[in-house]
Structures are given as C-alpha cells and as structure tokens.
Amino acid sequence: MQLHNKISGELLRKKIQETAEPRSTLSFYQYAHIGNPRLFRDHLFIEWEKLGVLGRTYVAKEGINAQISIPTENRDAFREFLDTIEFLKGIRLNWAIEDDGKSFFKLTIKVREKIVADGLNDSSFDVTNRGVHLTAEKFNEITSNPDTILVDMRNHYESEVGHFKGAITPDVDTFRDALKVVEDDLKGQEDKPLVMYCTGGIRCEKASAYYKHKGFKEVYQLEGGIIEYARQVREKGLENKFIGKNFVFDERLGERISEEVIAKCHNCGSACDTHKNCQNDACHLLFIQCDVCAEKLNDHCSDACLDFSTWPDEERKKFKSGLNLGQQIFKKGRSSAFLKAYQAWQENQG
C-alpha cells in the first residue's frame, strides 16, 4: 500500500479548495513512550487515509503531535480509532474555532527525533514533572494577581497578531530560542507564580517541566492553549483576556479570537493582522499585508520580489540555484535572504 502522497501539491490544494465536503480541523498531542515510531507512523497513515484525514503530524519516541482535518461525518469514527491506542484513549482534541474546512490539502506524517524542536537534554530533568494545568476560568483568576508572570511561549510572528493582555512576548523565531530568553529574563523571580501559554499546549508541557527544573516554585500552563481557552470563554461566557488573532500552522494562518487588530501591515503600516506567504518561490517570507498592498504587490512582500516574478524562467532558476532555500515557510518571518541576494545581483548587473 502507498504510504506517501505522490500527487502534486498544487492538484491536491485545488481539489480541497473545490470540494463541498464539510471538514473539521483539529489538533492534539501526547507525550508517550513509542518503541517503534516508524511502525506506528505507518499504522497511522494506513488508518487515517481510510478516514480521509489530511494534515501534518510528527511522531517520535517521545510521543505524537498532530494538526489535521477530517471529514466532519468521520469525527466519531476518528475518535473511535484513537481510543484503540492505549495512550491516546480519551485524549482531548482541540477543535478549530474558525473553520472553513480548507486548512490542509494532503496527509503528511513524519518521524522525528522530537515532536517539538526544543534543543533540550531531556535526560537532565523529569519531563513528566510538569506545571499545573489551568482551565480558562482558573487562568483568568491567577493572571489577575499582579505578582503573576504571564509568558507567551510562541514565536514573534504568532504573538504579533494576538496575545494575552499583560503577557511577556519574547522576540524570538523559535521555541528553542524562547526557552533560553525567558529563563534569562526571569532570573531572580523564581518565587513568583509563572503562567505559560501557547497555541494548543504542547510547548508548555515541556517548558513547564524545564522551568520547574530551573527552580521556579509555582508553575502553571494553560490547558489546551489558546484554542481551548477561546472555546471555554465562548461556552461559559467568561471574560476574554486574549486580544487579536491566534496564529495557526495551516492554510488559514489564523483564527480570530477578539475583534481587536493589534498588528500592522509590514508594507504600509496600516492596521492589519492578515499573514501571507510571499508568492516569490525564492522568498516565501511569512509576513503581514493589507488588501491594498496585496493588490499593489500581487501578494509579494516587496517590489524586489514582484520584479523577480517577471524574470524569464531560466534566469529565475539560475538565480535560485545560488540560494540555500530549504523549507522557509513559517520559519522566515524576518528573513532578508532573498532581498540581500537580489540587491547583490542588481549591483553586479550595474
């Protein structure tokens, strides 16, 4: 049986955009001891393909991290399948708040060293000695204490469009960077209550155990992250302390949690919180752009990228062959790699 997608991404994206089939987006994670991640990965792929699952999932010896979508009619069947796996039985599923069913267009399941890249030596501390999980109600209560330190464990491009009121938002590109920055910034405050949050909770699972290991006495984490918080706030009529949008790692790039727009267009500076990926395939910059600038630049991040799109194919290929592109989507929120290369090329031409 085929255990990988072999259809082009362009065709798969077109198919999912055109389908009228209702789909539901969800995420979940679980730390567990998986003896044979490759075998487990293949088992998931076979069973999930039968259920029409699409999305991105990472499997490692330490557990699973999934961001996926399923045909809405298969929600019960999907839950029943998860319940056949002992460490996933009854697991909380984070269902999307704003969902058009177009979040993913193919199924990708990868085996990795870790389900979240953190750069930590897990053998140096007990990863199961995690912080106390907080419901939305308890989160609001504890963060109302002026002594509480509230930290956003996400990256700069996530917190830029939305975050909790009063939160520390580290200016970092990766979770690995955030761990060190937060540790350094909070030295001497280990006796204060420390509350952390992220998108769905997975980063805080590891971070809370790490900070307890580093001497923080009272450590909490928002259970289910921003996704579950928004759901509980709506269902229970609680005060919403989150302002703006929740960045998500799929085709939607964001879910609106409150009506405030706290970010600005990276081109003109007007109020805007719409993330885009630059249409220049030698750039793929993740950036914020308003509708006016999007029309002016044809969904490119700069005049340089727009100009590059007009070059002959052969010239574009020659230029790109000198760039170390890699998988830049979602990783290059402030990358200037293309612009620097473009400027150097212009100087050489002159």
Side-chain angles (χ1 to χ4, degrees):
M1 178 178 289
Q2 176 181 312
L3 297 182
H4 297 275
N5 290 295
K6 295 184 178 180
I7 304 174
S8 76
E10 185 177 344
L11 289 177
L12 291 171
R13 181 178 279 104
K14 182 179 180 181
K15 179 181 178 182
I16 199 66
Q17 290 294 341
E18 293 178 347
T19 185
E21 176 187 51
R23 298 187 65 86
S24 300
T25 302
L26 68 145
S27 63
F28 69 90
Y29 69 90
Q30 183 69 289
Y31 281 97
H33 296 294
I34 300 178
N36 190 330
R38 171 58 58 181
L39 183 63
F40 181 63
R41 177 264 174 211
D42 289 347
H43 175 59
L44 289 182
F45 197 98
I46 291 170
E47 297 302 320
W48 284 7
E49 195 171 46
K50 295 176 185 176
L51 293 171
V53 176
L54 302 175
R56 183 190 309 108
T57 298
Y58 300 130
V59 174
K61 288 185 177 180
E62 68 174 7
I64 181 173
N65 178 16
Q67 294 111 35
I68 58 178
S69 76
I70 58 177
T72 302
E73 66 178 8
N74 288 346
R75 286 176 61 150
D76 290 342
F78 181 76
R79 167 61 81 179
E80 289 173 4
F81 167 73
L82 292 184
D83 285 345
T84 66
I85 301 170
E86 187 61 30
F87 71 87
L88 294 179
K89 190 173 184 179
I91 190 172
R92 183 194 64 249
L93 303 179
N94 290 326
W95 297 98
I97 303 300
E98 287 188 333
D99 193 8
D100 60 2
K102 314 295 184 183
S103 52
F104 297 101
F105 59 90
K106 67 178 179 179
L107 176 60
T108 302
I109 306 178
K110 295 182 178 181
V111 175
R112 287 189 164 182
E113 285 298 313
K114 292 189 175 186
I115 55 177
V116 176
D118 53 39
L120 297 177
N121 176 11
D122 291 358
S123 64
S124 67
F125 65 100
D126 183 0
V127 296
T128 66
N129 185 22
R130 66 192 185 190
V132 177
H133 282 194
L134 298 176
T135 63
E137 186 173 6
K138 283 294 184 181
F139 176 90
N140 284 356
E141 179 183 325
I142 290 178
T143 55
S144 294
N145 178 353
D147 289 332
T148 296
I149 301 172
L150 177 60
V151 180
D152 190 323
M153 294 306 300
R154 302 172 303 154
N155 306 328
H156 75 92
Y157 53 81
E158 298 173 83
S159 60
E160 183 178 7
V161 295
H163 54 76
F164 281 102
K165 299 173 184 176
I168 296 172
T169 55
D171 186 21
V172 295
D173 294 321
T174 67
F175 176 51
R176 180 195 304 246
D177 294 336
L179 286 166
K180 180 61 175 173
V181 168
V182 171
E183 180 184 351
D184 291 343
D185 287 351
L186 298 185
K187 280 191 181 303
Q189 303 185 67
E190 289 83 1
D191 290 333
K192 292 185 177 181
L194 173 62
V195 178
M196 292 173 290
Y197 69 89
C198 55
T199 307
I202 186 170
R203 284 175 275 191
C204 293
E205 286 286 314
K206 184 69 68 72
S208 66
Y210 177 71
Y211 290 129
K212 290 184 72 173
H213 166 67
K214 286 295 182 176
F216 286 87
K217 305 295 190 298
E218 193 176 343
V219 181
Y220 303 91
Q221 62 189 93
L222 180 58
E223 184 176 14
I226 300 165
I227 298 174
E228 180 61 18
Y229 176 87
R231 183 174 305 284
Q232 290 182 23
V233 163
R234 293 185 184 186
E235 290 180 353
K236 299 180 180 181
L238 304 175
E239 176 190 358
N240 179 20
K241 291 192 174 187
F242 190 92
I243 53 175
K245 291 173 73 172
N246 179 30
F247 182 92
V248 292
F249 291 85
D250 59 54
E251 295 288 298
R252 296 170 299 152
L253 294 179
E255 294 180 323
R256 183 157 298 287
I257 307 299
S258 77
E259 295 306 313
E260 294 100 332
V261 176
I262 66 172
K264 296 180 179 180
C265 173
H266 289 178
N267 295 123
C268 71
S270 63
C272 176
D273 57 10
T274 301
H275 269 111
K276 293 186 178 181
N277 282 297
C278 179
Q279 292 303 296
N280 173 5
D281 59 7
C283 176
H284 279 315
L285 183 76
L286 180 65
F287 70 113
I288 296 172
Q289 188 176 60
C290 68
D291 291 342
V292 174
C293 291
E295 183 175 359
K296 177 183 176 181
L297 294 171
N298 196 23
D299 292 328
H300 292 75
C301 71
S302 64
D303 290 325
C305 284
L306 179 61
D307 175 62
F308 182 75
S309 67
T310 67
W311 292 11
D313 287 344
E314 286 304 314
E315 201 167 343
R316 285 162 53 86
K317 289 179 182 178
K318 183 178 179 180
F319 178 88
K320 289 192 294 180
S321 66
L323 294 178
N324 180 21
L325 296 177
Q327 295 181 347
Q328 295 189 13
I329 297 177
F330 300 135
K331 296 182 180 179
K332 297 292 184 180
R334 291 177 288 196
S335 172
S336 58
F338 172 80
L339 184 57
K340 288 180 179 178
Y342 176 86
Q343 290 173 340
W345 180 87
Q346 292 279 42
E347 291 173 2
N348 290 335
Q349 296 301 306

